[in-house]
Amino acid sequence: MMLSEKKIRIGCGQGFWGDYLDAPDRLVASGKLDYLMLDYLAEVTMSILAKQHEKNSDHGYALDFPPLIGRISSAVSLGLKVIANAGGVNPKSAALQTRKILNQVLGEEAGNKIKIAIIEGDNLKSQLPELANLNIKSLDSELKIKEIEASLKSINAYIGCDSVVDALKAGASIVIVGRIADPCMCLAPLMYEYNWQAHELDKLAAGVIAGHIIECGTQSTGGNFSLNWDAINLDSNIGFPIVEFNEDGSFVVTKPEGTSGVVNVDTVTEQLVYEIGDPENYITPDVIADFTEIKLEEIAVNQVRVTGCRGKAKPDKLKISASYFDGYMAEGTLILVGPDVLKKATICEKIIRERIASLTLDIDEILFERLGAFSCIPGMEEKLFYPEPGEVVFRVAAKGHNKSDLSKLTREIAPLVLSGPSGITGYSGGKKDLKEIYSYFPSLVDRNFVSTKFEIV
Amino acid sequence: MIKEQKTLRDLAHARSGDKGRHANIGIIAKNSEAYEEIKKVLTEDVVKNYFKGISPSKVIRYELKNLLAFNFVLYDALGEGGTSSLRSDSQGKALGEALLHIRI
């Protein structure tokens, strides 16, 4: 059988909103990419963007994105295509600002040759009354959408590839999406380039699995790697990941030459098992991928071939995620210096608890941590037999709906510097500004409820 | 001293993260003997008990023999989820390292 020789290279230049700003520039300069994928959205991000959009109707997208495109504009002129979920709750403004910057950098004639598409339909806020009537329930609790309707900040469906493929067919060089399923930013260009059809499930699964491997940036190239981590010689030049595809759905994970980090079977495996549920049923809008027959093989230094990706028919329902205002969080820290830091921490905790009781502060939940003694996971401190540390960060975090009482709590930490045990320093908390909490509401909706379309801006 | 005792770190490496209010811990065995040993000793109950401080409602272990790996899903282990948890490790990113400390 003749197989197409056409290879497609897709790189991921942002693993989250907050990743190295110049990583895409470096990846584009040395990665020989056909496509650049940029992942900005975590579960929490949509609520932040929705809040920014309320304050300024021109915001609500990843503001880093348009200047980034300005920096890689010459590569885009030469044919590089970009797919990014930078649109947040306002892809249109993201596109208009990107257009403005492109035209500034390249001049209007060259700038206007670059087609920018936005995808709409993931944002379900205008359909909220209908959703509430459908009596949709959280996947995680008994909470119904009706109960959070008044405090709801954002609600989006995780959409699939269809409209991105349509936008690429229409000649778009930059596709700006809101809440797309992350790995679909990798699958969509493959469907377009290879004309993969909906029934070619194993190929679709390969695209999704590749997207999963690269969507967290350097987590597949040696970052956050727990096996012999100090043998990797981590430095500031870590390479961002690239997948090089063949039409048959096999692909190689790699990174640009001349960068640090490592791509091997172990780094790729760690990322494969990251943030997944049932590995036989990794659900995306376009295909359900099965990880249990994947085969990894190191074919050269920093090159891992991936085969054996299996797919099952796409689900009838799409995942939706909503965020809603759910009170305030207060936080403060002190540094306790030894000896006896753990005993000192216990006394500080006791004093604060007594003060809360005597002031009758209305607080829903409070947590005390002794960071430095493996206390960032409750219950772990007692299990791990480390010698007592010479210092710990004593952290108090509390939440509730009574804003005034939480503010009062923030005043209860600093006095311990004078009134508590000896050796307390570094008072940095009691942050005067309480943080607003936006809780997460995941659910499912019939896929027919969601319709997406692209628009060239 | 813990160093003289065999721990999961001698047999495997790990990565952990969040899925809403649930956490996942991927455990990757260093070789097939280690995989079989982990399969025998690192049961759902053992992991649930080890993390009882964060009260998972249940723990499910999935096997990926092709990758010599296991995926543990710890249901309801992140309080109300990454966005509203009070913990410093609100997204469960430290759970993998913590589990590698378990004595075998």
Side-chain angles (χ1 to χ4, degrees):
Chain A
M1 190 170 74
M2 276 287 287
L3 287 177
S4 163
E5 294 288 316
K6 180 167 153 187
K7 289 187 190 291
I8 298 294
R9 281 167 70 92
I10 304 171
C12 178
Q14 292 278 279
F16 73 111
W17 190 14
D19 212 337
Y20 290 118
L21 278 177
D22 61 342
D25 318 20
R26 288 187 273 146
L27 184 56
V28 166
S30 56
K32 297 177 225 125
L33 301 183
D34 299 298
Y35 287 85
L36 173 68
M37 145 182 173
L38 304 167
D39 181 12
Y40 287 93
L41 300 182
E43 282 172 355
V44 63
T45 322
M46 283 309 229
S47 60
I48 298 169
L49 292 170
K51 228 167 88 180
Q52 293 176 356
H53 187 235
E54 278 175 12
K55 283 187 190 146
N56 181 340
S57 60
D58 290 335
H59 288 181
Y61 63 91
L63 295 171
D64 301 341
F65 177 75
L68 161 79
I69 295 298
R71 294 197 302 276
I72 59 169
S73 56
S74 54
V76 178
S77 287
L78 293 171
L80 173 73
K81 294 183 182 180
V82 181
I83 298 169
N85 58 13
V89 297
N90 191 1
K92 185 91 179 232
S93 290
L96 292 174
Q97 184 62 19
T98 303
R99 162 68 62 219
K100 199 171 141 193
I101 290 187
L102 273 178
N103 288 6
Q104 275 168 8
V105 177
L106 297 172
E108 281 210 3
E109 200 190 330
N112 281 330
K113 278 188 189 150
I114 295 172
K115 281 192 187 173
I116 304 174
I118 58 170
I119 310 295
E120 287 176 318
D122 65 300
N123 194 336
L124 302 179
K125 212 160 177 188
S126 62
Q127 291 150 271
L128 187 57
E130 294 159 78
L131 278 168
N133 284 336
L134 289 175
N135 217 10
I136 282 176
K137 200 170 84 62
S138 166
L139 286 172
D140 288 343
S141 69
E142 292 304 311
L143 201 60
K144 297 207 170 106
I145 215 151
K146 252 197 161 74
E147 300 166 66
I148 58 162
E149 204 179 343
S151 53
L152 187 125
K153 188 60 71 176
S154 67
I155 181 161
N156 296 75
Y158 283 80
I159 61 171
C161 294
D162 298 349
S163 293
V164 180
V165 174
D166 290 344
L168 292 170
K169 281 182 185 161
S173 290
I174 299 171
V175 184
I176 303 173
V177 202
R179 184 71 282 181
I180 187 171
D182 300 340
C184 289
M185 288 189 283
C186 180
L187 172 59
L190 296 164
M191 291 174 75
Y192 163 67
E193 293 284 348
Y194 293 132
N195 197 24
W196 286 347
Q197 301 301 309
H199 65 271
E200 296 182 272
L201 296 171
D202 291 349
K203 290 178 180 177
L204 302 186
V208 157
I209 288 166
H212 175 69
I213 291 171
I214 64 174
E215 71 179 82
C216 294
T218 47
Q219 281 206 149
S220 53
T221 59
N224 187 22
F225 178 56
S226 72
L227 177 71
N228 303 328
W229 68 271
D230 59 350
I232 291 179
N233 297 321
L234 288 171
D235 67 20
S236 60
N237 187 33
I238 188 164
F240 276 64
I242 297 166
V243 282
E244 182 175 273
F245 258 85
N246 299 300
E247 195 280 334
D248 66 359
S250 66
F251 64 95
V252 172
V253 187
T254 186
K255 65 184 186 69
E257 276 180 38
T259 57
S260 63
V262 175
V263 178
N264 62 28
V265 168
D266 297 319
T267 65
V268 173
T269 305
E270 265 198 31
Q271 184 56 23
L272 273 172
V273 296
Y274 178 66
E275 290 183 347
I276 61 168
D278 176 359
E280 278 186 66
N281 295 288
Y282 180 84
I283 302 169
T284 75
D286 297 286
V287 65
I288 298 176
D290 179 355
F291 286 25
T292 59
E293 289 181 47
I294 293 174
K295 217 178 123 215
L296 304 178
E297 184 191 356
E298 257 165 68
I299 54 169
V301 177
N302 294 319
Q303 291 191 36
V304 173
R305 188 202 300 283
V306 182
T307 52
C309 299
R310 299 283 172 261
K312 305 173 203 174
K314 65 186 179 188
D316 296 330
K317 290 182 184 283
L318 294 182
K319 187 174 174 182
I320 57 176
S321 72
S323 62
Y324 60 99
F325 174 72
D326 197 14
Y328 300 91
M329 187 187 296
E331 204 183 344
T333 58
L334 297 170
I335 297 171
L336 310 187
V337 179
D340 304 323
V341 286
L342 297 181
K343 197 170 172 188
K344 287 175 182 173
T346 305
I347 288 167
C348 290
E349 175 176 337
K350 180 170 160 273
I351 293 170
I352 291 175
R353 283 190 189 276
E354 283 175 10
R355 291 281 301 167
I356 290 170
S358 63
L359 295 168
T360 62
L361 298 183
D362 169 22
I363 286 164
D364 295 348
E365 193 184 333
I366 190 161
L367 176 74
F368 295 90
E369 292 178 326
R370 295 113 70 102
L371 301 171
F374 221 135
S375 101
C376 75
I377 303 169
M380 235 0 91
E381 194 178 306
E382 296 81 34
K383 282 211 150 57
L384 299 171
F385 303 98
Y386 278 36
E388 180 159 287
E391 67 176 24
V392 291
V393 172
F394 174 75
R395 176 174 174 269
V396 185
K399 66 177 174 181
H401 290 75
N402 187 328
K403 196 176 179 181
S404 152
D405 278 11
L406 275 169
S407 292
K408 285 180 191 156
L409 173 69
T410 64
R411 297 189 49 85
E412 291 301 314
I413 301 161
L416 288 167
V417 176
L418 302 187
S419 304
S422 71
I424 300 185
T425 183
Y427 170 67
S428 67
K431 289 170 191 158
K432 292 280 180 297
D433 296 328
L434 301 176
K435 196 179 112 192
E436 292 178 351
I437 295 175
Y438 291 95
S439 286
Y440 176 66
F441 178 99
S443 192
L444 297 173
V445 70
D446 277 345
R447 65 186 312 140
N448 299 331
F449 189 84
V450 180
S451 66
T452 64
K453 62 176 171 52
F454 79 92
E455 184 192 334
I456 302 285
V457 177
Chain B
M1 284 290 285
I2 193 164
K3 275 196 172 161
E4 290 160 21
Q5 306 208 5
K6 187 169 163 188
T7 65
L8 183 59
R9 192 179 298 278
D10 297 316
L11 301 175
H13 54 122
R15 180 170 294 173
S16 61
D18 66 326
K19 275 282 198 196
R21 62 202 288 153
H22 318 300
N24 104 297
I25 308 176
I27 294 290
I28 304 110
K30 291 181 180 175
N31 51 52
S32 41
E33 293 78 47
Y35 179 86
E36 293 304 327
E37 188 175 352
I38 293 166
K39 189 173 165 182
K40 223 177 287 166
V41 299
L42 201 64
T43 60
E44 293 169 348
D45 285 344
V46 165
V47 173
K48 189 172 180 214
N49 186 51
Y50 185 72
F51 286 115
K52 63 178 180 235
I54 55 171
S55 327
S57 60
K58 65 175 173 182
V59 171
I60 303 281
R61 181 179 83 176
Y62 296 101
E63 296 171 18
L64 293 110
K65 196 167 186 187
N66 54 320
L67 301 173
L68 297 180
F70 300 90
N71 182 38
F72 291 89
V73 180
L74 283 63
Y75 285 87
D76 304 299
L78 298 176
E80 282 156 41
T83 61
S84 41
S85 165
L86 294 177
R87 289 182 215 156
S88 290
D89 184 32
S90 57
Q91 293 176 293
K93 288 183 185 283
L95 297 172
E97 289 287 352
L99 186 54
L100 291 179
H101 281 291
I102 195 171
R103 281 178 281 172
I104 298 288

